[in-house]
Every structure is written in structure tokens, then in C-alpha cells.
Amino acid sequence: MTVDGRVVAGRYRLGRRIGSGAMGVVWQAHDELLYRTVAVKQLLLQPGQSEADAEEARRRAMREGRIAARLQHPNAVAVFDVVDEGDGMPWLVMEYVPSRSLSQLLEEQGTLAPQEAARIGMHVANALAAAHAAGIVHRDVKPGNVLLGDDGTVKITDFGISRAQGDSTVTATGMLAGTPAYLAPEIAKGHDPTPSSDVFSLGATIYAAVEGIPPFGLSDNPLALLHKVASGQIDPPRQAGPLTQPLLSLLSAEPTERVTMVRCRDALGAVAAGQPAPPMPVPQQAHMPTVATAAQRPMPMATRLDQRPPVGGAPRATSTTAMPPVRPKGPQQSGGMKRGPLIGIVTAVVIAVIVGVIVVINHGGNNNAGGSDGTGGSTGGGGSTTSASTTPAATVINRQPLSGDGDPGPDVQMKTVTDFFAQLPSNAQNAATAYLLPGFQGGADAFLAEMSKAKTVTLSDVQPGNYYIRATEHIVTKDGVKSVQQIGVGLKWENTQLYIQKIDKIGAAKPES
């Protein structure tokens, strides 16, 4: 279809076609009222579509506009307008980003270095954390929906199948929303999406960026791929380097074992800055295959993206942020282990044994009940992981005074709550010191006692309020008991800081499968 030169809503003159998706075609256009370039998404109905299906498609387009317009974030493509041309077909007017998708970049370059993949993932996580705080789940995070601007910016786009809290679901019965290769296991099993599902999909996107292939591989048979996704058994990363531990945490088969998007953003930011990622929970071995050690791991093979025909020629160099060197795409050399590397491995093993003996001596007769300091525990030769070994190390929290005139708004209030819960349960002591009001209702000691029994604590469906934030709390105890609880978090503005005054349990906790 050619509509070049058509004027939509009396002001948006369509130019060249710049993309297409499940719901329609995207055109570059000129806003003749504000004299700026925009992107206009044209809804296309399929030939022979029933009136009921056509009406659903229209509702989905309007819903995409409403949801996306609620999210104003520098790392999310902004929606400016939704117009109706009188034929019942909505047009979505969006921010125009001179860019290419991460998918296009990977087709051209094969894989990215871990630090660059972390930089891209950090910006996407930043936008998704804001979306989750607003009650929005994206549901289709994938390389094709990550835009890399010519100026180095990163933006997530296409909230067309996202679901907002309080908005009715308009996806047809039996329709699977999302791209199978990047779906979370619980979605492949038919469960409702949650913010944790976006965490998994972002992890899968970053995995594909460094490994050259999604964590569940590729298949021309979508049903076979969905079956593998539902199993939750990923192919362990081999080229992720400093991203290995964060990826394993993000790609846990159990939603309650994944970190929040806030912690995901912080971990990716550390790797992007060339720093070690903060310790993150390691998935239970029952749900995650053991990652091969350096001695066991085979040499990296050429990525499957190498099998694709070249796309677009040489990479563009228009971004002000230089891309790091890309991994070579040729075959790897193989052969026996040289003497130098062998000596290095033996030396590392000897050092590890010595350190282990010192740790045992220092901790002998000084066992702390509960093990809440997160310093002990190790993985034995059999590969079983103890709960202590999965506990992130505690870190001191230095909160900066809040700036600006007047009391903090709803966004700052929700961020305070999500940042606090992102520290739980491993860093509960420092989080209580930094965030809880001295007169915290119920007492800080009781709160810390509850956290000492928890293995993971996550939030979903965070809803804004006037110094009272409602959310759904998911807790997995160290005994493996899972529960879900509606909570209300009361806040108080004091001097230049926002503190948590109380945490109400609304109704009774329910078991969570």
C-alpha cells in the first residue's frame, strides 16, 4: 500500500515507510502544525476480517495509545496523539527516533561485547522500571522493539500488546501475546504476565545480544519452541563474561526468584560502567542447568546469526557513542590445552583451596543463627547450592536528599517504595536504616525478623497514591513456601527525605503456586 504524501488529521503529511509490525505500518511524517518530524502508525485490518475482529483491532490500537501516553520516560518512545480519520481506523502519532533496532544491529554485527549489551539493557530496564511503577507490563520485550538512536540513545517501543493495571484485556481468547523466543516460561504455560515476565524477556534480549541467539535457541516450529520455553531450561551463556551472573538471575524459570527491574537496572549499570555486577540471587538448580566451568566449557562457536545472509552492508557510524569491538564471527581455533593455561588453572585451584581453609578456620565455632549476613556458604563438589551462597552481600545505602520545591510527587513516592523493596531481603538491615522512619509502626525489629525468614521478596502491580502506595507482595521463604499478599505502604515527608512510616497487610496472605 502506498500512501506517500497523504495528510492525516489535517496536519501529519506521510513520507517514507520506516517499519511494520503485527498491528500495522509505521511511516515517517511531517507535522505541518508544529514543524517537526514524527512517526505515524497506521492500523491495517486484514482482508476478510470479521467485524468483531476489526473492532477488536481498533480497540487494541486505541488501548496502545492510552497506555503508551501514560508513560513519559526518556528511554521510551513517546506517544503524541491518536487520531481517527473517520473510517474507524485509528492512527497513532509518535516520537520519531532516527535509529535502527537492536535486531538489525545483531543481524549486521553478530554479537555485542558484554559491556555494550549491558549499557543498552540498562536504559531499557530504566524505562521498564518506570512502566512497572505505573502499573504497565510491556509483554513483548525483544531486540526488534529496542531502538538504538543515531545519537547513542536507547528507547523501548511498541506497547501494542502491553497491559495496564485497571485496563480490560482485549487480547483474543487463545492468542499468545509476545514473541515465543523471548517469552518467560510462565507465559508459555498460559499464566498471566507480570513485571517479572518483562524481567525475563529483557534478560533473553541481552542474552541474544552477547550470545547471538535467544536462550531457548531458534526453531521454525513455534509449538516446539514454546514447549522448550515452558520447560525453563535455557542454554547456559558462554560469552557473557561479567554479565553471566546477572543473566542467570534474570532468566530464572521461577518468576519469584527473579530480581525486580530496579535491581536489574542497577546491575546492568554496574557492568556497563566496567564494574563488577552486585551479587544477585542464583536460581535454584532444579530450574537452571549448571553452567560449565572454564575448564569444562567448550570453545565458543560461531553464532547462528552468522548463518544469516549479510544485511545492510557495513555498520553505520552515525552514533556519537562508539560501539565497542564486536566479537569475531569466524570459526574458533581448537586443540589441546597449552601448558601455560593449565598451570594457571592449577594455581587458581590451589589458591581457592587455601582460601577455603582460611574461611573455615575463621568461621569455626562462630556460626550466626539465620546466616543473614550473606557472607557464608559455598557450592559443594556435587553442585548443590545452599541458601547462603545465593544471598547477595549487604551494602550500605547512602540516600541523597531530595531536591525541588514542595513535597515529592507520586513518581518519587513510588520510586522510594520500589527502591526499598529491591533491597529485600538480603540487604534488609541497611534498607531499614536508610528508609524506615524511627517510629516505624510495628517496629523495625519485627520487620527484620520477617525478612530473615524470606528468600526472595518482589512487588508487582504497584499503584500510586497520596503518600500511600498499594502493591502486591510476593514472598518465597527459605523453606520454599510461596505466598502473595496485598500491602499498603505509608510514607512520610520529613526534612529533605521521604521515609516509610508503615507497611499494612491488606487481607490475608494467599499461597502462590
Side-chain angles (χ1 to χ4, degrees):
M1 172 181 288
T2 301
V3 293
D4 187 58
R6 175 176 174 177
V7 178
V8 176
R11 60 184 286 189
Y12 306 111
R13 185 173 296 277
L14 304 185
R16 64 185 180 91
R17 174 173 168 165
I18 58 176
S20 60
M23 292 179 61
V25 179
V26 182
W27 305 85
Q28 180 180 335
H30 178 67
D31 184 347
E32 297 183 337
L33 179 62
L34 298 180
Y35 298 100
R36 63 179 176 181
T37 301
V38 296
V40 177
K41 188 171 186 177
Q42 175 193 18
L43 173 65
L44 295 180
L45 299 179
Q46 300 301 317
Q49 201 169 29
S50 68
E51 182 58 33
D53 291 340
E55 178 59 27
E56 180 185 344
R58 296 185 188 101
R59 291 173 59 197
R60 291 183 65 194
M62 295 300 296
R63 182 169 169 273
E64 176 182 357
R66 288 196 305 269
I67 291 175
R70 285 171 50 177
L71 180 61
Q72 299 296 321
H73 192 276
N75 295 119
V77 174
V79 172
F80 298 144
D81 197 4
V82 180
V83 298
D84 190 340
E85 281 289 86
D87 54 3
M89 311 259 287
W91 295 67
L92 208 60
V93 182
M94 303 174 291
E95 171 189 11
Y96 173 70
V97 183
S99 63
R100 56 180 166 173
S101 70
L102 176 59
S103 178
Q104 291 172 319
L105 178 64
L106 296 179
E107 285 181 350
E108 295 174 6
Q109 298 192 12
T111 58
L112 299 180
Q115 192 169 346
E116 173 64 4
R119 183 191 74 85
I120 294 171
M122 172 193 66
H123 290 303
V124 175
N126 201 24
L128 291 174
H132 293 170
I136 300 171
V137 180
H138 189 284
R139 301 210 295 177
D140 196 22
V141 180
K142 60 182 180 181
N145 281 337
V146 176
L147 301 184
L148 308 177
D150 292 343
D151 60 354
T153 59
V154 179
K155 290 179 180 282
I156 181 78
T157 187
D158 200 356
F159 282 80
I161 62 172
S162 60
R163 185 177 70 179
Q165 182 70 23
D167 203 3
S168 60
T169 300
V170 295
T171 303
T173 302
M175 177 183 290
L176 182 65
T179 304
Y182 299 93
L183 285 178
E186 65 272 15
I187 305 302
K189 294 177 183 177
H191 296 297
D192 289 336
T194 66
S196 185
S197 307
D198 280 351
V199 171
F200 186 98
S201 295
L202 178 58
T205 297
I206 300 169
Y207 179 107
V210 295
E211 300 293 325
I213 190 172
F216 297 109
L218 296 171
S219 175
D220 293 332
N221 185 338
L223 293 180
L225 183 57
L226 279 175
H227 179 75
K228 188 173 182 181
V229 172
S231 73
Q233 297 295 313
I234 72 166
D235 297 327
R238 295 177 177 177
Q239 305 182 86
L243 276 174
T244 299
Q245 186 201 25
L247 282 180
L248 291 178
S249 182
L250 303 183
L251 295 173
S252 170
E254 281 292 333
T256 53
E257 292 178 359
R258 299 173 205 145
V259 297
T260 63
M261 194 62 77
V262 171
R263 287 190 65 184
C264 170
R265 175 198 65 197
D266 295 343
L268 294 173
V271 176
Q275 303 170 357
M280 301 172 73
V282 177
Q284 293 180 3
Q285 193 174 12
H287 302 295
M288 183 68 65
T290 304
V291 181
T293 63
Q296 297 170 334
R297 182 179 299 163
M299 294 294 290
M301 301 177 62
T303 69
R304 296 191 190 180
L305 285 169
D306 299 338
Q307 301 170 10
R308 302 179 184 178
V311 178
R316 298 187 299 177
T318 55
S319 172
T320 57
T321 303
M323 292 289 184
V326 179
R327 302 181 185 277
K329 298 170 64 176
Q332 303 292 326
Q333 294 181 352
S334 61
M337 181 175 289
K338 303 298 182 182
R339 181 178 179 183
L342 180 59
I343 292 174
I345 292 175
V346 172
T347 303
V349 171
V350 172
I351 293 174
V353 171
I354 294 173
V355 172
V357 171
I358 294 174
V359 170
V360 171
I361 292 174
N362 287 342
H363 283 70
N366 188 30
N367 294 328
N368 295 323
S372 60
D373 61 356
T375 58
S378 63
T379 302
S384 60
T385 305
T386 66
S387 59
S389 68
T390 65
T391 304
T395 55
V396 176
I397 303 171
N398 295 315
R399 300 180 66 196
Q400 298 299 319
L402 297 176
S403 58
D405 298 330
D407 293 353
D411 291 344
V412 176
Q413 295 176 34
M414 286 197 295
K415 185 178 186 301
T416 299
V417 172
T418 55
D419 285 355
F420 170 72
F421 275 85
Q423 301 292 330
L424 306 179
S426 60
N427 204 23
Q429 179 67 61
N430 290 322
T433 302
Y435 284 89
L436 298 187
L437 201 67
F440 176 74
Q441 293 183 17
D445 290 342
F447 170 78
L448 292 174
E450 179 185 2
M451 289 299 102
S452 69
K453 302 174 184 177
K455 179 181 178 182
T456 63
V457 179
T458 57
L459 287 186
S460 66
D461 300 333
V462 183
Q463 303 175 32
N466 185 20
Y467 290 89
Y468 194 78
I469 308 300
R470 291 178 178 268
T472 302
E473 180 184 50
H474 306 265
I475 293 182
V476 180
T477 68
K478 293 177 179 177
D479 296 332
V481 178
K482 303 177 183 179
S483 63
V484 59
Q485 170 82 59
Q486 301 299 313
I487 63 170
V489 182
L491 301 170
K492 185 176 181 180
W493 172 247
E494 194 168 273
N495 298 325
T496 59
Q497 196 53 272
L498 195 59
Y499 294 97
I500 294 177
Q501 187 176 28
K502 62 178 179 177
I503 301 177
D504 295 330
K505 304 292 186 180
I506 303 173
K510 299 178 182 179
E512 186 170 35
S513 58

